[in-house]
Amino acid sequence: MRQIPTIRTLISIDFITTLASSVWVAAVIYIYVEQNLHLGEEWWGYINTSYFVGMIFSGLIVIRFAKLLEKYIGFFITFGLFLSSLLILLFGTTSIPSLALLLACLYGLPEQIREVIYTKLFQDHATEKALAKIHAVWGAVINLTFAGSVLLLGFITETYSVKTTFQFSSTLIFLAFLYATFKRNDLIGKQCDQSLSSKSSNLPR
């Protein structure tokens, strides 16, 4: 996996964004609803619904513009990270319920598009034999990172404020955006990665 630049870069980006993603867990959103929106906890459900509506709508966009996404993969990954960072920052500072729902919906768009692109890149840059192992490692890294992130963001929320938590999360994703921009050539490389993945699959185990 370390010998395949595209996959190494994707997992590194996903590691950073996963550190920020637990900002959407119930423990944080409950406090957000209480402190920022000054509404009942049922709004956590409304916000979650808006987020998944955005992801569903994003799936339809991917179907409609699949060839365009494939042509400009590097752009959509980097721009999606920048947009996610901006949306989290705006979401964490707003006190307008309707705007919070809209921002949660919009946040689902780049998340779903990026997830689809990740899946495609993993399939394009790894052999069939190596793919299952790479997904296993990826899943382990992400699950462990998410568990640590829940503790970290929970601590920040309790010690400082929920706005600080969203600002911290936004900063992490912005760092992922900068890293993706710096590693953009790795995201669009293909032939080199395929040959490397073929070599890595023949290494002794």
Side-chain angles (χ1 to χ4, degrees):
M1 186 176 64
R2 290 193 301 268
Q3 296 181 38
I4 309 174
T6 297
I7 293 178
R8 184 177 64 240
T9 299
L10 288 176
I11 291 180
S12 298
I13 293 171
D14 214 24
F15 169 75
I16 301 172
T17 55
T18 300
L19 282 174
S21 66
S22 61
V23 76
W24 297 102
V25 299
V28 175
I29 295 297
Y30 278 148
I31 297 175
Y32 169 83
V33 168
E34 179 184 330
Q35 293 183 358
N36 279 30
L37 304 184
H38 306 290
L39 295 169
E41 60 185 28
E42 68 274 7
W43 272 79
W44 170 79
Y46 301 154
I47 290 171
N48 266 330
T49 300
S50 295
Y51 172 82
F52 284 107
V53 166
M55 294 194 76
I56 293 170
F57 183 62
S58 176
L60 298 177
I61 291 178
V62 170
I63 294 173
R64 178 66 179 83
F65 299 102
K67 291 184 178 180
L68 183 65
L69 290 173
E70 184 174 351
K71 187 176 181 180
Y72 299 104
I73 280 177
F75 168 78
F76 279 105
I77 289 180
T78 53
F79 178 73
L81 288 167
F82 177 80
L83 183 59
S84 295
S85 175
L86 179 62
L87 290 172
I88 282 187
L89 182 63
L90 294 175
F91 180 86
T93 56
T94 187
S95 58
I96 304 173
S98 57
L99 181 57
L101 291 178
L102 176 61
L103 291 171
C105 180
L106 292 176
Y107 184 80
L109 297 176
E111 286 292 293
Q112 179 69 1
I113 290 175
R114 197 162 63 246
E115 185 175 330
V116 171
I117 291 176
Y118 279 15
T119 301
K120 172 180 168 43
L121 288 176
F122 269 66
Q123 293 172 345
D124 285 349
H125 294 82
T127 62
E128 184 178 351
K129 188 175 182 179
L131 195 58
K133 295 181 181 180
I134 290 172
H135 273 290
V137 173
W138 186 25
V141 169
I142 296 311
N143 288 332
L144 287 171
T145 303
F146 183 78
S149 174
V150 170
L151 293 175
L152 175 62
L153 296 191
F155 171 78
I156 294 174
T157 302
E158 184 176 0
T159 306
Y160 300 99
S161 69
V162 71
K163 286 185 179 180
T164 303
T165 303
F166 278 95
Q167 290 167 354
F168 177 74
S169 177
S170 174
T171 301
L172 286 176
I173 296 181
F174 187 76
L175 290 175
F177 158 72
L178 294 178
Y179 179 77
T181 302
F182 179 72
K183 292 287 191 178
R184 190 166 179 176
N185 288 337
D186 288 346
L187 297 176
I188 60 178
K190 195 164 187 176
Q191 290 182 335
C192 178
D193 284 2
Q194 284 285 12
S195 63
L196 283 172
S197 66
S198 296
K199 292 177 182 178
S200 65
S201 66
N202 293 323
L203 292 175
R205 292 172 176 81

